[in-house]
């Protein structure tokens, strides 16, 4: 081996010169496009929440036991608000920060944009882990109930 450093720099972009940055107008356009898609999906999630809550209220309140229906509505409604509402709110905030950054890109807005994206993806990941855990418990419980029923 030689004592001379090699010309290879693993931190250099593959197609650019050292220190070359992304064109600000291109980055702004891409972030604006990201904001539009995030807003679109936040709207879809909000429509889904309202639709689900309406169907749930109609189904539960159409029964013969309104007190039990209100308990079911509160339980299922709270669960759906956690699963869909929390990501929808954080997605709205992330799209707003992306829109602000695309309109006036500076280092402060970039930090806010990255922070809002981080909050959304962290929230989404935690909820996904909770849902997967719930599914695992439900599958194990269903298997145990099936085995118990088959034995008896």
């Amino acid at each position: 081996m030689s004592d001379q450093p090699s010309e290879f720099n693993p931190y250099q972009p593959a197609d650019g010169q050292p220190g070359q940055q992304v064109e600000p107008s291109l980055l702004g356009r891409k972030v604006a496009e990201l904001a539009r898609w995030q807003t679109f999906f936040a709207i879809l999630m909000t429509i889904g929440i309202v639709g689900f809550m309406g169907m749930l209220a109609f189904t539960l309140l159409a029964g013969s036991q309104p007190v039990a229906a209100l308990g079911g509505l509160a339980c299922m409604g709270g669960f759906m608000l956690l699963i869909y509402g929390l990501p929808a709110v954080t997605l709205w905030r992330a799209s707003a920060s992306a829109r602000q950054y695309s309109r006036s890109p500076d280092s402060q807005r970039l930090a806010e944009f990255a922070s809002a994206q981080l909050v959304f993806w962290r929230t989404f990941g935690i909820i996904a882990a909770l849902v997967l855990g719930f599914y695992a418990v439900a599958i194990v419980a269903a298997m145990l109930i099936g085995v118990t029923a088959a034995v008896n």
Side-chain angles (χ1 to χ4, degrees):
M1 284 188 86
S2 73
D3 293 333
Q4 297 294 328
S6 71
E7 294 296 319
F8 176 71
N9 181 357
Y11 303 106
Q12 176 181 341
D15 60 347
Q17 298 298 320
Q20 181 180 3
Q21 296 182 353
V22 177
E23 180 183 342
S25 64
L26 174 65
L27 182 61
R29 285 193 309 264
K30 293 299 180 183
V31 171
E33 185 176 345
L34 174 68
R36 284 191 297 272
W37 279 105
Q38 286 181 328
T39 302
F40 174 69
F41 278 102
I43 290 169
L44 288 180
M45 290 172 81
T46 304
I47 290 171
I49 291 167
V50 170
F52 180 82
M53 296 299 270
M55 287 188 301
L56 184 65
F58 178 76
T59 302
L60 292 176
L61 294 175
S64 61
Q65 299 176 346
V67 174
L70 289 176
L73 180 63
C75 181
M76 285 297 295
F79 182 71
M80 292 310 293
L81 284 176
L82 173 71
I83 299 298
Y84 291 105
L86 192 58
V89 169
T90 57
L91 191 58
W92 277 110
R93 290 180 182 162
S95 69
S97 70
R99 209 172 309 110
Q100 287 175 351
Y101 176 71
S102 69
R103 289 182 183 148
S104 58
D106 61 10
S107 60
Q108 176 66 29
R109 295 224 171 153
L110 177 61
E112 292 169 2
F113 166 66
S115 176
Q117 296 297 318
L118 177 67
V119 167
F120 168 70
W121 287 108
R122 183 184 301 145
T123 303
F124 193 79
I126 290 170
I127 290 174
L130 289 173
V131 168
L132 288 175
F134 175 75
Y135 285 156
V137 168
I139 289 170
V140 169
M143 290 170 49
L144 289 175
I145 290 170
V147 168
T148 305
V151 170
N152 291 334

